[in-house]
Amino acid sequence: MEELTGYVERISYRNEENGYTVLTLSTDDEEHCVTGVFPTISEGEYLTARGEFVVHPIYGEQMKMESYEFSAPGDEVSIERYLGSGAIKGVGAALAKRIVQKFGADTFRILEEEPERLSEVRGISERSAMQIAEQVIEKREVRNAVLFLQQYGISLQMSVKIYRRYGMDLYRVVRENPYKLAEDIPGMGFKSADDIAVKMGIRPDSEYRVRCGVLYVLGQAGGMGHTYLPKDHLFADTEALLSTEIAEFDNVLTDLLMDKKIVIKRVSTEEHVYLMAYYRMESDTAIMMKDLNLRDGSVSVSEIASNLKRLEKESGVVLDELQRSAVYEAVQNGITIITGGPGTGKTTTINIIIRYFIREGLDILLAAPTGRAAKRMTETTGYEAQTIHRMLEVNGDPTNGNGSYFQRNADMPLEADVVIIDEMSMVDISLMHALLKAIVPGMRLILVGDVDQLPSVGPGEVLKDLIRSECFPVVRLNKIFRQAEESDIIMNAHRINAGEIVEVKRSNDFLFILRDNAGMITGATITLLKDKLPAYVHAETKDLQVLTPMRKGALGVENLNKVLQEALNPASPAKQEKEFSFGIFREGDKVMQIRNDYQLEWTVEHTFPTERGMGVFNGDTGVIRRISHFEETITVEYEDRKMVTYPYAAADELELAYAVTIHKAQGSEYPAVIMPLLTGPRMLMNRNLLYTGITRAKSCVCIVGNYDTFVQMIRNNDEQRRYTGLLDMIKQVYGDS
């Protein structure tokens, strides 16, 4: 076996998922090509590689590495090369030279034992000195952590995530409770954690394993929209997950109940099993809603009528009876719910309500669940709206002591007299719970949304449960106004929602292009995006959106995004790109954040001073502006010029967004929407999904595909049932009074 010792001159190729690397190792006399799996490696690092030399038919002689070890560079030249290689952020060649001139061969000891002394070097502050030392130490710790985790089959990227989450505590977590990885680490499934547990000798039928399996199944149910599972359902799903018979299921539930991990609630003859967090959210929400639902008897009907008449005259708006009723309810009640489909006057009603309260000298806050929805609310009302997260002042630290992500809560409530929330169908139980904690009795809460749209991505059916309870003032707007009647988008959306079959006919804003195979549908979609629709709706291609019912299949999000990326943003020497196991990201790509990340920092650099904030949220869409192989980062520009920089290790929080699922498009509005339809699972291809997709379009909907599938979706009114307890809890709270 041959041996080479030297520093890494350059890395020619690296797969971030499995660590396979092709690098050039510079020894005392020459350079050598070395290939193999290096879990962590940076240019400039000093190592000894052992292996066999082979002759590649194209690339010539190279060492096929079998083992290696890192060591701190021993001589001053090697130390300077390492520090100046880019391996340490903030240290370039010139600064590396000054550091080594100051400390010589003692540099690494200084970095580890006396890092504050780096500030003796010109150009290094005390803060920078500590940051440089922390990077050197962290690289060593990450390397050790990755090697430890790889013995359990954990990938390189996942190992880095685990280290980022736990730090040096990861060793204790993995040895004592590997199932905690599945709870805390996005993308770390139960199966991977279970594999580690098996290697550690945990029996397949052990009570400990069953306990973790129950919690995992309940957590997964939350991801599917449920806040609880019926006990029998939970039992069957847990047995299926663990692939074993469970004899002591009731004992496990009792233990979890005693540990306050779950709650079991009997409703009629059925037992509902909740994760403690979801139970508290639903029960607290029911109580807080009742506390807010106060009748304000200080304003008479005649006074409201007089004020409303004056507002209508000033604005040139004439409300119908239902809209008037909405204004009356909003003025007289602590809580008002306004629901209705497109074209039924929700926006006009909100505008009059806003003007009414402003005339009364009241402070108003407007918010919506997503950035796009908040921006649209701002445009349609003329008053600033923000995301609910921003209104509640997300604090960027989900691990703080009280478990709240928001600075606005019961201890520091919102400073307003009226809070209006739009797109309420998107609000899940977690966000609703956080919102209500920041609102005190006496404030007015007005909830606006289309109850016939898809429910929230997160757990719960908040808007639907609130309306079904019949405990709060609800106004259903159902009159389609004359201007809306001129839009085939709006009229066809209402027909579809009513189960009426929509015929293919000539239209200016509701187009149907008949195609019967996936290739032709994809081709037509590309033509529409590149050539036809931008000029037709006076928008850029990047502002149009392809919406599809599913993720998998030829017309699913995953495949469509690959095809559309190559058509709309092909590879070019002028664009940097980075390949990951899940695909390629390229400068200029349209991307979406796929989970809430409260700790990501954003900046708006073209303001003075630079505006900064924390938090990027599930569904936020932006464009990749820069990929830096030197810094190993991807920079994305989101709405309102917010720039967010992701390390490569966090790249799986992003996915291409040329095509997105209809569910992900909730709360958004696009100049034009293209919907490819061919075939798909019955549970997805339903009326509710079709209706939601169509109502995302402002100027034009273009359905490309099979008309029979379109008709079947209209006829299919089956929706996946969600197990939620808010409705029962509201009735219980009101029944107890």
Side-chain angles (χ1 to χ4, degrees), residues 551-567:
R551 292 195 59 83
K552 302 294 184 181
L555 297 178
V557 164
E558 294 175 5
N559 188 61
L560 276 175
N561 271 320
K562 293 176 184 177
V563 174
L564 294 176
Q565 181 190 46
E566 289 308 307

mmCIF file of all heavy atoms in Angstrom, residues 551-567:
data_model
loop_
_atom_site.group_PDB
_atom_site.id
_atom_site.type_symbol
_atom_site.label_atom_id
_atom_site.label_comp_id
_atom_site.label_asym_id
_atom_site.label_seq_id
_atom_site.Cartn_x
_atom_site.Cartn_y
_atom_site.Cartn_z
ATOM 1 N N ARG A 551 -46.901 15.328 -6.407
ATOM 2 C CA ARG A 551 -45.436 15.442 -6.444
ATOM 3 C C ARG A 551 -44.802 14.426 -7.390
ATOM 4 O O ARG A 551 -43.809 14.724 -8.036
ATOM 5 C CB ARG A 551 -44.849 15.241 -5.036
ATOM 6 C CG ARG A 551 -45.193 16.354 -4.051
ATOM 7 C CD ARG A 551 -44.296 16.278 -2.830
ATOM 8 N NE ARG A 551 -42.882 16.393 -3.190
ATOM 9 C CZ ARG A 551 -42.257 17.550 -3.399
ATOM 10 N NH1 ARG A 551 -42.913 18.683 -3.288
ATOM 11 N NH2 ARG A 551 -40.976 17.557 -3.716
ATOM 12 N N LYS A 552 -45.346 13.208 -7.433
ATOM 13 C CA LYS A 552 -44.731 12.137 -8.205
ATOM 14 C C LYS A 552 -45.361 12.032 -9.592
ATOM 15 O O LYS A 552 -46.411 12.601 -9.863
ATOM 16 C CB LYS A 552 -44.888 10.804 -7.464
ATOM 17 C CG LYS A 552 -44.293 10.788 -6.058
ATOM 18 C CD LYS A 552 -42.779 10.929 -6.079
ATOM 19 C CE LYS A 552 -42.198 10.823 -4.671
ATOM 20 N NZ LYS A 552 -40.726 10.977 -4.678
ATOM 21 N N GLY A 553 -44.722 11.249 -10.455
ATOM 22 C CA GLY A 553 -45.259 10.998 -11.787
ATOM 23 C C GLY A 553 -44.702 11.969 -12.818
ATOM 24 O O GLY A 553 -44.026 12.947 -12.493
ATOM 25 N N ALA A 554 -45.010 11.684 -14.085
ATOM 26 C CA ALA A 554 -44.490 12.494 -15.189
ATOM 27 C C ALA A 554 -44.914 13.947 -15.082
ATOM 28 O O ALA A 554 -44.185 14.852 -15.506
ATOM 29 C CB ALA A 554 -44.953 11.903 -16.519
ATOM 30 N N LEU A 555 -46.109 14.196 -14.550
ATOM 31 C CA LEU A 555 -46.601 15.566 -14.414
ATOM 32 C C LEU A 555 -46.629 16.012 -12.953
ATOM 33 O O LEU A 555 -47.354 16.940 -12.592
ATOM 34 C CB LEU A 555 -47.997 15.691 -15.037
ATOM 35 C CG LEU A 555 -48.062 15.423 -16.544
ATOM 36 C CD1 LEU A 555 -49.492 15.515 -17.047
ATOM 37 C CD2 LEU A 555 -47.159 16.398 -17.304
ATOM 38 N N GLY A 556 -45.822 15.353 -12.130
ATOM 39 C CA GLY A 556 -45.686 15.764 -10.740
ATOM 40 C C GLY A 556 -44.625 16.835 -10.602
ATOM 41 O O GLY A 556 -43.846 17.111 -11.523
ATOM 42 N N VAL A 557 -44.583 17.444 -9.440
ATOM 43 C CA VAL A 557 -43.654 18.547 -9.186
ATOM 44 C C VAL A 557 -42.206 18.157 -9.447
ATOM 45 O O VAL A 557 -41.449 18.899 -10.086
ATOM 46 C CB VAL A 557 -43.821 19.025 -7.714
ATOM 47 C CG1 VAL A 557 -42.638 19.868 -7.281
ATOM 48 C CG2 VAL A 557 -45.102 19.818 -7.564
ATOM 49 N N GLU A 558 -41.798 16.983 -8.984
ATOM 50 C CA GLU A 558 -40.386 16.613 -9.060
ATOM 51 C C GLU A 558 -39.906 16.501 -10.502
ATOM 52 O O GLU A 558 -38.842 17.017 -10.851
ATOM 53 C CB GLU A 558 -40.157 15.308 -8.294
ATOM 54 C CG GLU A 558 -40.400 15.462 -6.791
ATOM 55 C CD GLU A 558 -40.295 14.151 -6.041
ATOM 56 O OE1 GLU A 558 -39.931 13.131 -6.669
ATOM 57 O OE2 GLU A 558 -40.579 14.138 -4.829
ATOM 58 N N ASN A 559 -40.667 15.825 -11.348
ATOM 59 C CA ASN A 559 -40.252 15.673 -12.735
ATOM 60 C C ASN A 559 -40.425 16.971 -13.525
ATOM 61 O O ASN A 559 -39.550 17.361 -14.314
ATOM 62 C CB ASN A 559 -41.041 14.553 -13.416
ATOM 63 C CG ASN A 559 -40.504 14.248 -14.804
ATOM 64 O OD1 ASN A 559 -39.353 13.857 -14.953
ATOM 65 N ND2 ASN A 559 -41.317 14.458 -15.826
ATOM 66 N N LEU A 560 -41.544 17.650 -13.345
ATOM 67 C CA LEU A 560 -41.779 18.895 -14.080
ATOM 68 C C LEU A 560 -40.693 19.924 -13.804
ATOM 69 O O LEU A 560 -40.261 20.643 -14.708
ATOM 70 C CB LEU A 560 -43.144 19.478 -13.712
ATOM 71 C CG LEU A 560 -44.360 18.929 -14.462
ATOM 72 C CD1 LEU A 560 -45.642 19.538 -13.891
ATOM 73 C CD2 LEU A 560 -44.266 19.201 -15.956
ATOM 74 N N ASN A 561 -40.242 20.014 -12.561
ATOM 75 C CA ASN A 561 -39.223 21.010 -12.236
ATOM 76 C C ASN A 561 -37.904 20.747 -12.959
ATOM 77 O O ASN A 561 -37.228 21.684 -13.394
ATOM 78 C CB ASN A 561 -39.000 21.073 -10.720
ATOM 79 C CG ASN A 561 -39.922 22.065 -10.052
ATOM 80 O OD1 ASN A 561 -40.171 23.145 -10.585
ATOM 81 N ND2 ASN A 561 -40.442 21.711 -8.896
ATOM 82 N N LYS A 562 -37.535 19.486 -13.097
ATOM 83 C CA LYS A 562 -36.316 19.168 -13.848
ATOM 84 C C LYS A 562 -36.454 19.584 -15.304
ATOM 85 O O LYS A 562 -35.544 20.183 -15.893
ATOM 86 C CB LYS A 562 -36.026 17.666 -13.758
ATOM 87 C CG LYS A 562 -35.640 17.183 -12.372
ATOM 88 C CD LYS A 562 -35.459 15.668 -12.354
ATOM 89 C CE LYS A 562 -35.169 15.152 -10.951
ATOM 90 N NZ LYS A 562 -35.073 13.665 -10.918
ATOM 91 N N VAL A 563 -37.602 19.262 -15.895
ATOM 92 C CA VAL A 563 -37.832 19.589 -17.306
ATOM 93 C C VAL A 563 -37.903 21.101 -17.501
ATOM 94 O O VAL A 563 -37.295 21.658 -18.429
ATOM 95 C CB VAL A 563 -39.132 18.919 -17.798
ATOM 96 C CG1 VAL A 563 -39.457 19.362 -19.218
ATOM 97 C CG2 VAL A 563 -39.020 17.402 -17.725
ATOM 98 N N LEU A 564 -38.637 21.783 -16.641
ATOM 99 C CA LEU A 564 -38.804 23.231 -16.783
ATOM 100 C C LEU A 564 -37.510 23.979 -16.491
ATOM 101 O O LEU A 564 -37.232 25.019 -17.093
ATOM 102 C CB LEU A 564 -39.913 23.723 -15.857
ATOM 103 C CG LEU A 564 -41.326 23.214 -16.184
ATOM 104 C CD1 LEU A 564 -42.326 23.683 -15.137
ATOM 105 C CD2 LEU A 564 -41.760 23.673 -17.578
ATOM 106 N N GLN A 565 -36.697 23.454 -15.574
ATOM 107 C CA GLN A 565 -35.398 24.078 -15.310
ATOM 108 C C GLN A 565 -34.540 24.100 -16.571
ATOM 109 O O GLN A 565 -33.951 25.124 -16.921
ATOM 110 C CB GLN A 565 -34.670 23.329 -14.194
ATOM 111 C CG GLN A 565 -33.304 23.920 -13.841
ATOM 112 C CD GLN A 565 -32.517 23.021 -12.899
ATOM 113 O OE1 GLN A 565 -32.440 21.808 -13.118
ATOM 114 N NE2 GLN A 565 -31.949 23.595 -11.855
ATOM 115 N N GLU A 566 -34.491 22.969 -17.267
ATOM 116 C CA GLU A 566 -33.676 22.903 -18.485
ATOM 117 C C GLU A 566 -34.247 23.771 -19.599
ATOM 118 O O GLU A 566 -33.505 24.310 -20.426
ATOM 119 C CB GLU A 566 -33.557 21.448 -18.955
ATOM 120 C CG GLU A 566 -32.690 20.595 -18.055
ATOM 121 C CD GLU A 566 -31.330 21.232 -17.797
ATOM 122 O OE1 GLU A 566 -30.633 21.580 -18.779
ATOM 123 O OE2 GLU A 566 -30.970 21.423 -16.626
ATOM 124 N N ALA A 567 -35.559 23.929 -19.626
ATOM 125 C CA ALA A 567 -36.178 24.747 -20.670
ATOM 126 C C ALA A 567 -36.067 26.242 -20.381
ATOM 127 O O ALA A 567 -35.863 27.047 -21.294
ATOM 128 C CB ALA A 567 -37.649 24.357 -20.827
#
